[in-house]
């Protein structure tokens, strides 16, 4: 059986599944339940200065549902902890004492002044917590007060606060990044420049979940009005994956430890993030959707995956996919695929045909010998993957590489050598370089 | 004493609760949540097989998507545009041999989307809302007589009215609906649904109803043709086939369709006398309807006896299963020889075993058996009675009215559809399509 133990910045946990700083980690009772369920660690919900903040007394959450009301996207307008600082500190200390083998990192958000950070850090240190996470990410509410994403969107502030924290505590410092920014590498570089030990990402994405068409109020509404909240859940995973990969492959931040967050719902999601460079993962929405028990499936699934692949420890595959993330200009333009429809599996819904016909390349038949029959016309197929994407049957349509003969669409022989845009004759830059 | 075991034809065999349960909706409607989950199973197929399998070409993927997007009344409109009797069809269509049979979900998981129940969900939503979604076009001043207010006549009348023609709808019986009202098993369409749907259909306006008007008796086709710009005949089948065997006149030998009609028109089922031992002769939908319903009225033993084998049974697989799970015994390869009587009342039926003969027929084996019975139902098919079209010259094909693709008869200005025409499928939904096609053809001819 694979070894799932995780060590992140020297912080040990029995598995790499942590609960992210969020409602599930706001109180001792919840965190204790999480540890009993098997979670490897938690990032305690963000502490702030007293007097503690208040929350709205109406809905804090909004959701987007898929078929059968599966929760696909989730958002919240909840602020940082709304309990007194000393209550949280006391509970953190008690939980850490009761669960010494689990990771407890404390999320912090105080005004962007050195004295505020200098004041709170020793209080956290005294609890015995394993580290701190600087909440530079929350896009709602606190950002209006100059905190959260208002800091995370300014790389200079990120660097400055990270530096203060490194100066005033011995604890490892994780900087939590906001995705509400054009280039995620900038704040990551700033965090590293400020001496941060790691980054965690992504925090939530600014969002409005919908509109109540009777009251014309945005969802979730408070007395007829709504405000933007932080978007999370399965829908944000691809955005988070890209941002994690961007930091992992950026030469300036290469090797900076990453704790990944963003729609992680299954062990498979976790492996995706770890393959793209994350050392561990943090989960919130999945727990808020199903309860803490889902970690059992995550642990078992990861273990089975590692056994099957022959990985003995987590380090064996962290970052394994990073070398394969590249820029478009380096993709092999000689690589040719064609869609292949498995007629045994085909249920003849015709979706591949109609989407190709209406919106793409007219490359799939509709009828053969007078009966419904969906097959690929190689002379039209550009290998775009649309048909496979919309096919309701797993594995029915696959994109198969052409390794010999001629591409029926272009009439050109299949060339198994590598050639990319940088040298392509249609590239003006390539042409001028050759002259 | 258990009233199940009282011999003879008596009423009140069951408790009030049993009657209520036995004649409750056989397919309870989907709840909003169930409908949403089911609707989300639809793949929105291209050129959907379900749509093509529907005789009225309802755009099934579109209406299911409208349910999934919280627009059930819009879904109903999609249905009604193609099939104005879509509420009843949702209840009585043999979907397992039409739309649901070809659902692509069968390929992957052998579980089609429950199209019939979704259609009911949508149509119920609109009918219950009372919102009239159809409006008449500007009046054309043209007059059309529609004879017969069954599914074909209703569909024809509605579409003609939609186009602005003035319709007079003639019906022989007191109530409109034809077999929707007088045929069909009661548990398929409880709560007076047939009349509620008709009310919605007539809600478009422009349709004047004349009930008690029987063609060939107090109304003549010639007069109708003279007094109108066009005539549509949706006459159904007025006669029943006879067994032609000894004992057919005995007390207790009943035409199944008469009893089914009486059952539909009797709200208190405990007032319906029914035998202890029932023999049903026939193998179609009517045979199943009478067999299951008499069982549900408390008959102790019901045997449905068919001359040929399981493969030739006209009742669908679902109907056969319903009969069997209701406790009806299905006996095959047995033809009635004579009906036995005692004191003028039926006492049993003698059958002779059959074997498949050449050319699809059957032949007796010489071996026979007797089933005791105090009530015998004949369900061996109905027939069109051509006398009602009189001297009009409307040509027949076989024993029914001959029509072309547009449902035109051999006589100008006269169209026909539904069970009275040759080549039909004897399905409610097919009759609706006939009425619709005829209305389109009439409209074209009146506006040419």
């Amino acid at each position: 059986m694979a070894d799932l133990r995780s060590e992140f910045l020297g912080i040990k946990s029995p598995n790499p599944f942590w609960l992210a700083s969020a409602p599930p980690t706001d109180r001792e009772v919840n965190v204790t339940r999480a540890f009993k369920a098997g979670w490897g660690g938690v990032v305690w919900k963000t502490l702030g200065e007293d007097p503690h903040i208040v929350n709205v007394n109406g809905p804090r959450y909004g959701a987007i549902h898929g078929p059968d009301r599966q929760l696909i996207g989730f958002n919240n307008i909840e602020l940082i902890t709304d309990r007194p600082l000393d209550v949280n500190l006391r509970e953190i200390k008690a939980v850490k004492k009761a669960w010494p083998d689990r990771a407890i990192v404390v999320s912090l958000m105080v005004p962007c002044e050195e004295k505020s950070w200098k004041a709170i850090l020793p209080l956290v240190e005294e609890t015995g917590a394993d580290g701190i996470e600087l909440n530079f990410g929350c896009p709602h509410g606190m950002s209006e007060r100059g905190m959260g994403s208002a800091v995370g969107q300014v790389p200079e502030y990120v660097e400055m606060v990270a530096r203060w924290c490194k100066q005033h505590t011995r604890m490892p410092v994780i900087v939590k990044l906001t995705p509400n920014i054009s280039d995620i590498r900038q704040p990551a570089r700033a965090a590293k420049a400020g001496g941060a030990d790691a980054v965690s990402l992504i925090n939530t994405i600014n969002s409005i979940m919908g509109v109540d068409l009777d009251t014309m109020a945005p969802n979730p509404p408070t007395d007829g009005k709504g405000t933007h909240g932080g978007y999370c859940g399965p829908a944000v995973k691809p955005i988070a994956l890209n941002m994690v990969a961007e930091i992992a492959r950026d030469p300036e931040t290469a090797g900076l430890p990453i704790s990944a967050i963003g729609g992680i719902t299954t062990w498979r999601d976790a492996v995706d993030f770890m393959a793209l460079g994350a050392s561990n993962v943090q989960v919130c929405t999945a727990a808020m959707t199903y309860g803490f028990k889902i970690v059992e499936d995550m642990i078992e699934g990861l273990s089975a995956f590692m056994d099957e692949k022959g990985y003995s420890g987590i380090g064996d595959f962290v970052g394994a996919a990073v070398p394969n993330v590249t820029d478009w200009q380096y993709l092999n333009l000689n690589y040719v695929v064609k869609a292949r429809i498995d007629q045994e599996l085909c249920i003849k819904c015709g979706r591949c045909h109609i989407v190709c016909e209406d919106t793409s390349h007219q490359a799939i038949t509709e009828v053969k010998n007078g009966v419904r029959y969906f097959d690929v016309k190689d002379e039209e197929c550009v290998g775009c993957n649309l048909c496979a994407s919309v096919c309701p049957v797993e594995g029915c349509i696959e994109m198969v590489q052409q390794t010999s003969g001629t591409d029926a669409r272009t009439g050109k022989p299949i060339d198994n050598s590598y050639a990319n845009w940088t040298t392509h004759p249609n590239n003006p830059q390539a042409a001028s370089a050759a002259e | 004493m258990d009233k199940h075991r009282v011999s003879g034809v008596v009423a009140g065999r069951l408790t009030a609760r049993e009657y209520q349960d036995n004649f409750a909706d056989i397919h309870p409607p989907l709840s909003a949540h169930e409908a949403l989950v089911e609707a989300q199973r639809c793949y929105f197929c291209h050129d959907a097989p379900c749509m093509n399998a529907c005789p009225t070409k309802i755009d099934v993927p579109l209406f299911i998507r409208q349910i999934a997007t919280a627009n059930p009344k819009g879904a109903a409109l999609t249905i009604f545009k193609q099939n104005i009797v879509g509420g009843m069809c949702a209840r009585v269509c043999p979907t397992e041999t039409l739309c649901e049979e070809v659902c692509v979900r069968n390929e992957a998981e052998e579980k089609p989307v429950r199209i019939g129940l979704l259609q009911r969900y949508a149509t119920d939503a609109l009918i219950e809302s009372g919102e009239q979604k159809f409006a008449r076009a500007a009046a054309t001043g043209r007059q059309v007589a529609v004879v017969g207010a069954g599914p074909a006549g209703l569909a024809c009348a509605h579409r003609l009215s939609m186009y602005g023609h003035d319709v007079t709808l003639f019906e022989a019986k007191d109530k409109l609906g034809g077999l929707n009202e007088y045929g069909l098993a009661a548990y398929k369409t409880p709560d007076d649904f047939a009349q509620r749907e008709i009310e919605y259909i007539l809600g478009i306006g422009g349709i004047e109803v004349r009930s008690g008007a029987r063609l060939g008796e107090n109304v003549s086709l010639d007069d109708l043709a003279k007094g109108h710009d066009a005539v549509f005949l949706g006459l159904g089948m007025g006669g029943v086939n006879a067994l032609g065997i000894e004992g057919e006149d005995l007390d207790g030998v009943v035409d199944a369709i008469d009893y089914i009609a009486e059952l539909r028109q009797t709200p208190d089922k405990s007032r319906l006398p029914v035998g202890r031992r029932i023999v049903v002769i026939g193998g179609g939908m009517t045979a199943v309807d009478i067999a299951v319903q008499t069982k549900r009225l408390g008959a102790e033993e019901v045997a449905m006896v068919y001359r040929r084998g399981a493969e030739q049974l006209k009742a669908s697989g679902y109907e056969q299963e319903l009969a069997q799970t209701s406790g009806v015994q299905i006996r095959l390869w047995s033809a009635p020889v004579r009906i036995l009587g005692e004191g003028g009342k039926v006492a049993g039926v003698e059958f002779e075993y059959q074997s498949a003969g050449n050319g699809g027929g059957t032949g007796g084996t010489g071996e026979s058996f007797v089933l005791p019975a105090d009530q015998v139902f004949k369900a061996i098919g109905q027939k069109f009675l051509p006398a009602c079209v009189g001297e009009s010259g409307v040509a027949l094909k076989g024993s029914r009215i001959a029509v072309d693709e547009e449902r035109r008869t051999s006589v100008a200005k006269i169209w026909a559809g539904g069970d009275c025409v040759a080549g039909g499928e004897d399905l409610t939904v097919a009759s609706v399509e006939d009425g619709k096609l005829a209305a389109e053809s009439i409209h074209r001819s009146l506006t040419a």
Side-chain angles (χ1 to χ4, degrees), chain A residues 96-384:
Chain A
K96 184 63 202 177
K97 194 176 173 195
W99 298 87
D101 70 321
R102 308 301 170 94
I104 298 187
V105 168
V106 177
S107 173
L108 297 174
M109 183 196 288
V110 293
C112 212
E113 295 166 8
E114 188 171 7
K115 66 177 169 57
S116 293
W117 291 93
K118 193 176 173 182
I120 200 168
L121 290 168
L123 303 177
V124 176
E125 223 165 76
E126 201 276 327
T127 63
D130 297 300
I132 55 168
E133 184 181 79
L134 312 187
N135 182 344
F136 296 160
C138 280
H140 52 276
M142 302 309 288
S143 56
E144 298 170 13
R145 307 175 200 179
M147 292 182 265
S149 63
V151 177
Q153 286 166 338
V154 183
E156 292 79 5
Y157 292 171
V158 172
E159 180 178 343
M160 179 176 71
V161 180
R163 182 166 291 124
W164 292 337
C165 291
K166 283 306 289 180
Q167 275 170 9
H168 297 300
T169 181
R170 59 168 172 75
M171 293 182 289
V173 174
I174 306 165
V175 170
K176 185 164 178 177
L177 302 177
T178 176
N180 299 295
I181 191 164
S182 339
D183 183 355
I184 198 66
R185 295 174 303 179
Q186 303 301 328
R189 289 170 184 168
K192 190 181 180 192
D197 300 289
V199 290
S200 57
L201 70 159
I202 59 173
N203 203 306
T204 54
I205 304 171
N206 257 329
S207 58
I208 286 176
M209 298 303 274
V211 176
D212 180 319
L213 296 182
D214 294 321
T215 62
M216 287 295 169
N219 275 328
T222 301
D223 193 24
K225 306 280 184 194
T227 187
H228 61 86
Y231 192 46
C232 54
V236 310
K237 180 189 155 192
I239 298 166
L241 276 177
N242 174 56
M243 290 185 166
V244 165
E246 285 294 286
I247 293 169
R249 74 188 186 96
D250 177 7
E252 292 191 36
T253 49
L256 181 67
I258 300 171
S259 181
I261 311 162
I264 294 158
T265 309
T266 67
W267 65 267
R268 183 81 174 64
D269 298 329
V271 173
D272 285 352
F273 277 101
M274 293 165 90
L276 287 172
S279 300
N280 73 0
V281 296
Q282 298 183 30
V283 175
C284 171
T285 306
M288 291 186 73
T289 307
Y290 300 108
F292 289 145
K293 185 184 165 75
I294 50 155
V295 76
E296 292 178 25
D297 173 59
M298 292 178 169
I299 290 168
E300 289 299 312
L302 178 61
S303 176
F305 161 76
M306 288 170 64
D307 286 346
E308 195 176 308
K309 293 286 185 187
Y311 296 132
S312 56
I314 287 166
D316 290 359
F317 62 92
V318 164
V322 175
N324 295 327
V325 182
T326 186
D327 295 339
W328 192 97
Q329 63 181 330
Y330 301 121
L331 297 176
N332 183 4
L333 296 175
N334 283 344
Y335 176 76
V336 176
V337 299
K338 300 287 179 189
R340 288 289 171 261
I341 301 174
D342 183 335
Q343 297 298 335
E344 291 289 307
L345 292 177
C346 176
I347 60 173
K348 300 189 170 44
C349 69
R351 291 254 298 274
C352 56
H353 162 78
I354 198 61
V355 296
C356 190
E357 199 75 8
D358 281 352
T359 72
S360 289
H361 299 88
Q362 298 78 45
I364 296 180
T365 65
E366 180 177 14
V367 173
K368 184 177 169 184
N369 300 329
V371 297
R372 277 169 92 76
Y373 191 85
F374 304 99
D375 205 1
V376 178
K377 301 179 216 167
D378 282 356
E379 64 277 19
E380 304 295 342
C381 178
V382 301
C384 73

Side-chain angles (χ1 to χ4, degrees), chain B residues 96-142:
Chain B
E96 73 279 8
T97 60
L98 296 170
C99 52
E100 291 179 19
E101 180 178 44
V102 296
C103 175
V104 302
R105 283 262 180 193
N106 286 311
E107 298 287 328
E109 58 197 277
E110 294 184 7
K111 250 178 81 180
V113 174
R114 291 184 291 172
I115 299 166
L117 279 169
L118 286 171
Q119 180 166 323
R120 174 166 172 186
Y121 177 78
T123 51
D124 279 359
L126 185 55
I127 288 176
E128 279 163 24
S129 78
E131 285 173 39
Q132 185 51 251
K133 296 273 190 189
F134 291 91
R136 301 188 69 199
T140 62
R142 298 301 193 121

